[in-house]
Amino acid sequence: MLPSTAQLKQTGGRELARIVFDEETIARRVRELGREITTAYPEGDLLVLGLLKGSFIFLSDLVRRIERPLQVDFLVAASYGEGTVSSGNVRLLYDPETELAGKHILLVEDIIDTGKTLNRLVALLRQRDPRSLQICALLDKHIAEHLELDAAFLGFDAPRAFLVGYGLDHAENFRHLPYIASLT
Ligand code: IMP
Ligand code: MG
């Protein structure tokens, strides 16, 4: 399908290889995830912890579909730099200010690739004594050799391509696309 004028305006004329998940498909799945999460957490404080920057759009759509009290905070970890291959170096640039001890923590990630980012963060968050710790990922490429914790809530299985849009970037570009596309 040829890209629309609106799409080309958003990308500055750059043609992406293909749209992998369109707006409607994403919205439908996010509504379902909201329902799954709503029923999975019967009681206790729930803290939805978004991993920035990639999860910012997913998280903001998701929390509006969760029908129970919750709090929101963020983590900033840096891993990729400007490449499209995981470096394996994960650094925490921002630590949540909210108290984590005794709360149900739902860590929200945009995409699981090698799993290194999540493994590092899971180890770190477990030390904070949460009541429970689960992962909600929008996408999983299913190439991680070892995951400390599997995603309890998963949006979609992702193709092994480099994806952009709906929060995902390439060198900080394309995060604002309302759909998910493969770059090449
Ligand atoms: P991991 O540590 O290899 O699992 O990488 C996870 C992080 O790398 C994600 O939070 C993303 O920010 C980034 N990432 C991995 N794959 C992609 C992709 O296909 N497009 C955009 N970002 C990606
Ligand atoms: Mg990124």
Side-chain angles (χ1 to χ4, degrees):
M1 201 175 65
L2 288 174
S4 70
T5 315
Q7 277 168 28
L8 290 176
K9 270 192 183 161
Q10 273 191 312
T11 60
R14 174 145 184 196
E15 283 189 38
L16 300 165
R18 94 188 153 93
I19 293 183
V20 182
F21 301 107
D22 64 23
E23 276 190 75
E24 242 175 74
T25 306
I26 297 170
R28 208 180 312 126
R29 189 69 192 113
V30 169
R31 274 198 298 276
E32 286 169 4
L33 283 173
R35 281 197 288 270
E36 284 177 34
I37 292 165
T38 301
T39 47
Y41 287 97
E43 42 135 2
D45 293 333
L46 173 61
L47 176 65
V48 180
L49 204 49
L51 186 48
L52 290 177
K53 301 176 201 171
S55 74
F56 83 109
I57 294 180
F58 175 44
L59 180 131
S60 65
D61 283 346
L62 181 68
V63 290
R64 284 178 284 180
R65 298 295 173 182
I66 301 176
E67 295 176 1
R68 79 181 313 285
L70 59 78
Q71 296 178 338
V72 174
D73 207 336
F74 296 96
L75 278 175
V76 184
S79 66
Y80 262 55
E82 301 213 338
T84 56
V85 177
S86 180
S87 64
N89 298 319
V90 178
R91 284 183 304 137
L92 255 200
L93 304 180
Y94 170 80
D95 205 338
E97 307 209 331
T98 322
E99 177 68 46
L100 306 188
K103 291 181 181 161
H104 294 296
I105 308 289
L106 181 62
L107 183 59
V108 178
E109 164 78 311
D110 54 354
I111 185 164
I112 304 174
D113 186 8
T114 65
K116 284 172 188 162
T117 309
L118 276 183
N119 284 344
R120 166 77 209 285
L121 291 175
V122 163
L124 211 137
L125 292 173
R126 278 185 174 146
Q127 293 171 3
R128 310 280 174 91
D129 219 14
R131 180 161 168 190
S132 71
L133 176 63
Q134 297 289 359
I135 291 165
C136 175
L138 176 63
L139 299 153
D140 188 348
K141 290 188 186 172
H142 296 288
I143 55 174
E145 279 173 23
H146 165 74
L147 282 181
E148 288 287 329
L149 187 61
D150 279 315
F153 309 96
L154 174 65
F156 305 101
D157 295 328
R160 292 175 187 191
F162 198 83
L163 303 177
V164 295
Y166 199 69
L168 290 106
D169 75 304
H170 175 248
E172 295 304 326
N173 294 309
F174 309 119
R175 291 195 198 274
H176 66 315
L177 304 180
Y179 48 86
I180 296 167
S182 67
L183 194 63
T184 51

